[in-house]
Amino acid sequence: MPPPPPESPPQALDPAYESQILKSYWRRNIILMLILLSIWAAAGLGCGILFADTLNQYTLPGTGYPLGFWFAQQGSIIVFVFLILIYALIMNRLDRSHMADRTRSRAGKEAAQ
């Protein structure tokens, strides 16, 4: 197996374009966090406290626990763990996309020289 080709040293990007890439990356990150935190607030505060009386009319199958009580005690924690998993998966994809944008920018700059 031949050795991998040597990597060229990283070149500086156009500062204006790099700033645009970074702003886009952080804007998507903040939007994702706001959406996920809203879901967590709805599950933790909404289902566990605000709508607990309504949800307590239903029980978890096989346990007999009222649904509002379950959300207050365990459901919001389980939802939070799932949201962390979703955040990590989406951020991995976003990081790869961000690195691809920077690589394309470098390749375009090298081609222009």
Side-chain angles (χ1 to χ4, degrees):
M1 182 172 181
E7 292 184 23
S8 61
Q11 296 187 2
L13 298 174
D14 177 26
Y17 186 66
E18 185 173 5
S19 174
Q20 180 184 359
I21 291 173
L22 287 174
K23 283 181 182 176
S24 172
Y25 173 80
W26 282 109
R27 187 180 65 243
R28 286 190 250 169
N29 186 7
I30 289 172
I31 290 171
L32 175 64
M33 284 191 297
L34 290 175
I35 291 170
L36 295 178
L37 286 174
S38 298
I39 293 171
W40 183 53
L45 182 67
C47 294
I49 297 172
L50 298 176
F51 307 115
D53 291 335
T54 304
L55 292 174
N56 280 339
Q57 297 173 3
Y58 306 99
T59 59
L60 284 177
T63 63
Y65 289 112
L67 191 57
F69 174 77
W70 182 82
F71 261 105
Q73 298 301 315
Q74 295 178 350
S76 62
I77 296 169
I78 292 171
V79 168
F80 186 70
V81 170
F82 278 120
L83 292 178
I84 290 172
L85 174 68
I86 291 169
Y87 178 77
L89 293 174
I90 292 175
M91 283 306 298
N92 280 340
R93 187 182 318 157
L94 185 61
D95 287 345
R96 281 193 298 269
S97 172
H98 176 71
M99 291 306 296
D101 287 344
R102 295 191 74 191
T103 302
R104 277 194 298 270
S105 175
R106 281 192 190 123
K109 186 174 183 178
E110 289 175 0
Q113 292 177 351

Short mmCIF file of all heavy atoms in Angstrom, two decimals, residues 67-110:
data_model
loop_
_atom_site.label_atom_id
_atom_site.label_comp_id
_atom_site.label_asym_id
_atom_site.label_seq_id
_atom_site.Cartn_x
_atom_site.Cartn_y
_atom_site.Cartn_z
N LEU A 67 -49.15 9.59 33.68
CA LEU A 67 -48.21 10.07 32.68
C LEU A 67 -47.54 11.39 33.09
O LEU A 67 -46.34 11.58 32.86
CB LEU A 67 -48.92 10.22 31.33
CG LEU A 67 -48.04 10.46 30.12
CD1 LEU A 67 -47.01 9.34 29.96
CD2 LEU A 67 -48.91 10.56 28.87
N GLY A 68 -48.28 12.32 33.70
CA GLY A 68 -47.69 13.57 34.15
C GLY A 68 -46.63 13.34 35.22
O GLY A 68 -45.57 13.98 35.20
N PHE A 69 -46.89 12.44 36.15
CA PHE A 69 -45.91 12.10 37.18
C PHE A 69 -44.67 11.49 36.54
O PHE A 69 -43.54 11.81 36.91
CB PHE A 69 -46.54 11.12 38.18
CG PHE A 69 -45.58 10.58 39.18
CD1 PHE A 69 -45.19 11.35 40.27
CD2 PHE A 69 -45.07 9.30 39.05
CE1 PHE A 69 -44.29 10.86 41.20
CE2 PHE A 69 -44.18 8.80 39.98
CZ PHE A 69 -43.80 9.58 41.05
N TRP A 70 -44.88 10.59 35.57
CA TRP A 70 -43.75 9.94 34.91
C TRP A 70 -42.89 10.97 34.19
O TRP A 70 -41.66 10.91 34.26
CB TRP A 70 -44.24 8.88 33.92
CG TRP A 70 -43.10 8.16 33.26
CD1 TRP A 70 -42.39 7.13 33.78
CD2 TRP A 70 -42.54 8.45 31.99
NE1 TRP A 70 -41.41 6.76 32.90
CE2 TRP A 70 -41.49 7.55 31.79
CE3 TRP A 70 -42.83 9.38 31.00
CZ2 TRP A 70 -40.72 7.55 30.63
CZ3 TRP A 70 -42.06 9.38 29.85
CH2 TRP A 70 -41.03 8.47 29.68
N PHE A 71 -43.52 11.93 33.50
CA PHE A 71 -42.73 12.96 32.81
C PHE A 71 -41.93 13.78 33.81
O PHE A 71 -40.78 14.14 33.55
CB PHE A 71 -43.63 13.87 31.97
CG PHE A 71 -43.65 13.50 30.53
CD1 PHE A 71 -44.74 12.85 29.99
CD2 PHE A 71 -42.57 13.77 29.71
CE1 PHE A 71 -44.75 12.50 28.65
CE2 PHE A 71 -42.57 13.42 28.39
CZ PHE A 71 -43.67 12.79 27.85
N ALA A 72 -42.52 14.11 34.95
CA ALA A 72 -41.81 14.92 35.94
C ALA A 72 -40.64 14.16 36.55
O ALA A 72 -39.61 14.76 36.86
CB ALA A 72 -42.78 15.35 37.05
N GLN A 73 -40.76 12.85 36.72
CA GLN A 73 -39.73 12.08 37.39
C GLN A 73 -38.70 11.49 36.45
O GLN A 73 -37.52 11.49 36.74
CB GLN A 73 -40.37 10.96 38.23
CG GLN A 73 -41.27 11.48 39.31
CD GLN A 73 -40.54 12.38 40.28
OE1 GLN A 73 -39.44 12.07 40.72
NE2 GLN A 73 -41.13 13.52 40.60
N GLN A 74 -39.12 10.93 35.33
CA GLN A 74 -38.19 10.24 34.44
C GLN A 74 -38.27 10.72 33.00
O GLN A 74 -37.25 10.72 32.29
CB GLN A 74 -38.48 8.73 34.47
CG GLN A 74 -38.22 8.11 35.79
CD GLN A 74 -38.55 6.64 35.79
OE1 GLN A 74 -39.12 6.11 34.85
NE2 GLN A 74 -38.17 5.97 36.86
N GLY A 75 -39.41 11.06 32.54
CA GLY A 75 -39.59 11.37 31.12
C GLY A 75 -38.73 12.53 30.64
O GLY A 75 -38.12 12.45 29.57
N SER A 76 -38.65 13.59 31.44
CA SER A 76 -37.86 14.74 31.00
C SER A 76 -36.37 14.39 30.95
O SER A 76 -35.64 14.88 30.09
CB SER A 76 -38.10 15.94 31.90
OG SER A 76 -37.71 15.66 33.21
N ILE A 77 -35.92 13.52 31.84
CA ILE A 77 -34.52 13.10 31.82
C ILE A 77 -34.25 12.24 30.58
O ILE A 77 -33.23 12.43 29.90
CB ILE A 77 -34.17 12.33 33.11
CG1 ILE A 77 -34.30 13.26 34.31
CG2 ILE A 77 -32.77 11.75 33.03
CD1 ILE A 77 -34.23 12.56 35.64
N ILE A 78 -35.14 11.34 30.29
CA ILE A 78 -34.97 10.49 29.10
C ILE A 78 -35.00 11.34 27.83
O ILE A 78 -34.19 11.15 26.92
CB ILE A 78 -36.04 9.39 29.08
CG1 ILE A 78 -35.79 8.41 30.23
CG2 ILE A 78 -36.06 8.66 27.74
CD1 ILE A 78 -36.89 7.40 30.45
N VAL A 79 -35.92 12.29 27.78
CA VAL A 79 -35.98 13.20 26.63
C VAL A 79 -34.68 13.97 26.51
O VAL A 79 -34.14 14.14 25.41
CB VAL A 79 -37.20 14.14 26.75
CG1 VAL A 79 -37.13 15.26 25.73
CG2 VAL A 79 -38.49 13.36 26.58
N PHE A 80 -34.15 14.45 27.62
CA PHE A 80 -32.90 15.20 27.60
C PHE A 80 -31.75 14.36 27.06
O PHE A 80 -30.94 14.83 26.25
CB PHE A 80 -32.57 15.71 29.01
CG PHE A 80 -31.37 16.61 29.06
CD1 PHE A 80 -31.42 17.88 28.51
CD2 PHE A 80 -30.21 16.18 29.67
CE1 PHE A 80 -30.31 18.71 28.56
CE2 PHE A 80 -29.10 17.00 29.72
CZ PHE A 80 -29.14 18.28 29.16
N VAL A 81 -31.66 13.11 27.47
CA VAL A 81 -30.59 12.23 26.98
C VAL A 81 -30.74 12.02 25.47
O VAL A 81 -29.74 12.06 24.73
CB VAL A 81 -30.58 10.90 27.75
CG1 VAL A 81 -29.65 9.89 27.11
CG2 VAL A 81 -30.18 11.13 29.20
N PHE A 82 -31.95 11.80 24.99
CA PHE A 82 -32.16 11.65 23.55
C PHE A 82 -31.80 12.93 22.81
O PHE A 82 -31.25 12.88 21.71
CB PHE A 82 -33.60 11.24 23.24
CG PHE A 82 -33.84 9.78 23.39
CD1 PHE A 82 -34.77 9.33 24.29
CD2 PHE A 82 -33.13 8.86 22.65
CE1 PHE A 82 -35.01 7.97 24.46
CE2 PHE A 82 -33.35 7.50 22.80
CZ PHE A 82 -34.29 7.05 23.71
N LEU A 83 -32.11 14.08 23.39
CA LEU A 83 -31.77 15.35 22.74
C LEU A 83 -30.26 15.54 22.66
O LEU A 83 -29.75 16.08 21.67
CB LEU A 83 -32.43 16.51 23.47
CG LEU A 83 -33.95 16.57 23.36
CD1 LEU A 83 -34.48 17.75 24.16
CD2 LEU A 83 -34.40 16.65 21.92
N ILE A 84 -29.54 15.09 23.66
CA ILE A 84 -28.07 15.15 23.60
C ILE A 84 -27.56 14.28 22.47
O ILE A 84 -26.67 14.68 21.71
CB ILE A 84 -27.45 14.73 24.95
CG1 ILE A 84 -27.72 15.80 26.00
CG2 ILE A 84 -25.95 14.50 24.81
CD1 ILE A 84 -27.33 15.39 27.40
N LEU A 85 -28.12 13.08 22.33
CA LEU A 85 -27.73 12.19 21.23
C LEU A 85 -28.02 12.85 19.88
O LEU A 85 -27.16 12.86 18.99
CB LEU A 85 -28.46 10.86 21.35
CG LEU A 85 -28.25 9.89 20.19
CD1 LEU A 85 -26.81 9.40 20.16
CD2 LEU A 85 -29.22 8.73 20.29
N ILE A 86 -29.20 13.41 19.74
CA ILE A 86 -29.57 14.08 18.48
C ILE A 86 -28.63 15.25 18.21
O ILE A 86 -28.17 15.44 17.08
CB ILE A 86 -31.04 14.53 18.54
CG1 ILE A 86 -31.95 13.31 18.52
CG2 ILE A 86 -31.37 15.48 17.40
CD1 ILE A 86 -33.41 13.63 18.84
N TYR A 87 -28.33 16.03 19.25
CA TYR A 87 -27.41 17.17 19.08
C TYR A 87 -26.04 16.70 18.61
O TYR A 87 -25.46 17.28 17.68
CB TYR A 87 -27.30 17.94 20.39
CG TYR A 87 -26.35 19.10 20.32
CD1 TYR A 87 -26.71 20.29 19.70
CD2 TYR A 87 -25.08 19.01 20.88
CE1 TYR A 87 -25.84 21.36 19.62
CE2 TYR A 87 -24.20 20.07 20.81
CZ TYR A 87 -24.58 21.24 20.19
OH TYR A 87 -23.70 22.28 20.12
N ALA A 88 -25.52 15.64 19.23
CA ALA A 88 -24.20 15.15 18.85
C ALA A 88 -24.19 14.66 17.40
O ALA A 88 -23.26 14.95 16.65
CB ALA A 88 -23.77 14.03 19.80
N LEU A 89 -25.22 13.93 17.00
CA LEU A 89 -25.27 13.42 15.63
C LEU A 89 -25.37 14.56 14.61
O LEU A 89 -24.66 14.56 13.60
CB LEU A 89 -26.45 12.46 15.47
CG LEU A 89 -26.36 11.15 16.25
CD1 LEU A 89 -27.65 10.37 16.11
CD2 LEU A 89 -25.17 10.33 15.78
N ILE A 90 -26.22 15.52 14.88
CA ILE A 90 -26.38 16.63 13.94
C ILE A 90 -25.12 17.50 13.92
O ILE A 90 -24.69 17.96 12.86
CB ILE A 90 -27.63 17.45 14.28
CG1 ILE A 90 -28.88 16.61 14.02
CG2 ILE A 90 -27.69 18.74 13.46
CD1 ILE A 90 -30.18 17.27 14.43
N MET A 91 -24.50 17.71 15.08
CA MET A 91 -23.29 18.53 15.10
C MET A 91 -22.14 17.83 14.38
O MET A 91 -21.31 18.50 13.76
CB MET A 91 -22.90 18.87 16.54
CG MET A 91 -23.74 19.96 17.13
SD MET A 91 -23.82 21.49 16.15
CE MET A 91 -22.11 22.01 16.16
N ASN A 92 -22.06 16.51 14.44
CA ASN A 92 -21.03 15.81 13.68
C ASN A 92 -21.22 16.07 12.19
O ASN A 92 -20.26 16.32 11.47
CB ASN A 92 -21.08 14.31 13.96
CG ASN A 92 -20.39 13.95 15.25
OD1 ASN A 92 -19.56 14.72 15.76
ND2 ASN A 92 -20.73 12.80 15.79
N ARG A 93 -22.45 16.00 11.74
CA ARG A 93 -22.74 16.27 10.33
C ARG A 93 -22.42 17.73 9.98
O ARG A 93 -21.84 18.01 8.94
CB ARG A 93 -24.20 15.96 10.02
CG ARG A 93 -24.50 16.05 8.55
CD ARG A 93 -25.93 15.80 8.19
NE ARG A 93 -26.52 14.71 8.92
CZ ARG A 93 -27.81 14.56 9.12
NH1 ARG A 93 -28.65 15.46 8.64
NH2 ARG A 93 -28.29 13.55 9.77
N LEU A 94 -22.79 18.65 10.88
CA LEU A 94 -22.51 20.06 10.64
C LEU A 94 -21.01 20.34 10.63
O LEU A 94 -20.52 21.13 9.82
CB LEU A 94 -23.21 20.91 11.71
CG LEU A 94 -23.14 22.42 11.55
CD1 LEU A 94 -23.79 22.85 10.24
CD2 LEU A 94 -23.83 23.09 12.71
N ASP A 95 -20.26 19.69 11.51
CA ASP A 95 -18.80 19.87 11.52
C ASP A 95 -18.18 19.38 10.22
O ASP A 95 -17.28 20.02 9.68
CB ASP A 95 -18.19 19.12 12.71
CG ASP A 95 -18.46 19.80 14.03
OD1 ASP A 95 -18.87 20.98 14.03
OD2 ASP A 95 -18.28 19.13 15.07
N ARG A 96 -18.65 18.23 9.73
CA ARG A 96 -18.12 17.72 8.46
C ARG A 96 -18.43 18.69 7.32
O ARG A 96 -17.58 18.95 6.46
CB ARG A 96 -18.68 16.34 8.16
CG ARG A 96 -18.01 15.22 8.94
CD ARG A 96 -18.36 13.86 8.39
NE ARG A 96 -19.78 13.57 8.47
CZ ARG A 96 -20.37 12.96 9.48
NH1 ARG A 96 -19.65 12.54 10.50
NH2 ARG A 96 -21.66 12.75 9.47
N SER A 97 -19.63 19.21 7.32
CA SER A 97 -20.02 20.18 6.29
C SER A 97 -19.16 21.43 6.39
O SER A 97 -18.72 21.98 5.36
CB SER A 97 -21.50 20.52 6.45
OG SER A 97 -21.86 21.58 5.61
N HIS A 98 -18.91 21.89 7.60
CA HIS A 98 -18.09 23.08 7.80
C HIS A 98 -16.67 22.84 7.30
O HIS A 98 -16.09 23.70 6.62
CB HIS A 98 -18.09 23.44 9.29
CG HIS A 98 -17.21 24.59 9.64
ND1 HIS A 98 -17.50 25.88 9.29
CD2 HIS A 98 -16.02 24.63 10.29
CE1 HIS A 98 -16.54 26.67 9.72
NE2 HIS A 98 -15.63 25.93 10.33
N MET A 99 -16.10 21.68 7.62
CA MET A 99 -14.75 21.38 7.15
C MET A 99 -14.71 21.25 5.64
O MET A 99 -13.73 21.65 5.00
CB MET A 99 -14.22 20.11 7.82
CG MET A 99 -13.94 20.29 9.31
SD MET A 99 -12.85 21.69 9.69
CE MET A 99 -11.36 21.16 8.90
N ALA A 100 -15.75 20.70 5.04
CA ALA A 100 -15.80 20.59 3.58
C ALA A 100 -15.85 21.98 2.95
O ALA A 100 -15.19 22.22 1.93
CB ALA A 100 -17.01 19.77 3.16
N ASP A 101 -16.59 22.91 3.54
CA ASP A 101 -16.63 24.29 3.03
C ASP A 101 -15.25 24.92 3.08
O ASP A 101 -14.82 25.57 2.14
CB ASP A 101 -17.61 25.13 3.84
CG ASP A 101 -19.06 24.80 3.56
OD1 ASP A 101 -19.33 24.13 2.55
OD2 ASP A 101 -19.92 25.21 4.38
N ARG A 102 -14.57 24.71 4.19
CA ARG A 102 -13.22 25.29 4.32
C ARG A 102 -12.26 24.64 3.35
O ARG A 102 -11.40 25.30 2.77
CB ARG A 102 -12.73 25.15 5.75
CG ARG A 102 -13.57 25.97 6.72
CD ARG A 102 -12.98 26.05 8.06
NE ARG A 102 -11.85 26.98 7.94
CZ ARG A 102 -10.94 27.14 8.88
NH1 ARG A 102 -11.02 26.46 9.99
NH2 ARG A 102 -9.95 27.98 8.72
N THR A 103 -12.37 23.33 3.14
CA THR A 103 -11.49 22.64 2.20
C THR A 103 -11.74 23.13 0.78
O THR A 103 -10.80 23.37 0.02
CB THR A 103 -11.72 21.12 2.29
OG1 THR A 103 -11.48 20.71 3.64
CG2 THR A 103 -10.79 20.38 1.35
N ARG A 104 -13.02 23.28 0.43
CA ARG A 104 -13.34 23.81 -0.91
C ARG A 104 -12.80 25.22 -1.08
O ARG A 104 -12.31 25.58 -2.14
CB ARG A 104 -14.85 23.78 -1.13
CG ARG A 104 -15.38 22.44 -1.59
CD ARG A 104 -16.80 22.58 -2.11
NE ARG A 104 -17.73 23.04 -1.08
CZ ARG A 104 -18.41 22.25 -0.27
NH1 ARG A 104 -18.30 20.95 -0.39
NH2 ARG A 104 -19.22 22.74 0.64
N SER A 105 -12.89 26.00 -0.04
CA SER A 105 -12.38 27.36 -0.11
C SER A 105 -10.88 27.36 -0.33
O SER A 105 -10.36 28.12 -1.14
CB SER A 105 -12.74 28.12 1.17
OG SER A 105 -12.16 29.40 1.15
N ARG A 106 -10.17 26.48 0.38
CA ARG A 106 -8.72 26.39 0.19
C ARG A 106 -8.39 25.92 -1.21
O ARG A 106 -7.48 26.43 -1.85
CB ARG A 106 -8.12 25.42 1.21
CG ARG A 106 -7.95 26.01 2.55
CD ARG A 106 -7.10 25.11 3.42
NE ARG A 106 -7.15 25.60 4.78
CZ ARG A 106 -7.55 24.88 5.81
NH1 ARG A 106 -7.88 23.63 5.65
NH2 ARG A 106 -7.58 25.40 7.00
N ALA A 107 -9.14 24.91 -1.69
CA ALA A 107 -8.88 24.39 -3.04
C ALA A 107 -9.14 25.48 -4.07
O ALA A 107 -8.39 25.60 -5.05
CB ALA A 107 -9.76 23.18 -3.30
N GLY A 108 -10.17 26.26 -3.88
CA GLY A 108 -10.46 27.34 -4.81
C GLY A 108 -9.38 28.40 -4.78
O GLY A 108 -9.01 28.95 -5.81
N LYS A 109 -8.85 28.67 -3.60
CA LYS A 109 -7.79 29.66 -3.48
C LYS A 109 -6.52 29.16 -4.14
O LYS A 109 -5.82 29.91 -4.82
CB LYS A 109 -7.54 29.99 -2.01
CG LYS A 109 -6.56 31.11 -1.82
CD LYS A 109 -6.44 31.50 -0.37
CE LYS A 109 -5.50 32.69 -0.24
NZ LYS A 109 -5.38 33.14 1.13
N GLU A 110 -6.22 27.85 -3.96
CA GLU A 110 -5.03 27.28 -4.59
C GLU A 110 -5.16 27.28 -6.10
O GLU A 110 -4.20 27.52 -6.82
CB GLU A 110 -4.78 25.86 -4.08
CG GLU A 110 -4.31 25.82 -2.64
CD GLU A 110 -4.20 24.39 -2.12
OE1 GLU A 110 -4.49 23.45 -2.88
OE2 GLU A 110 -3.81 24.26 -0.95
#
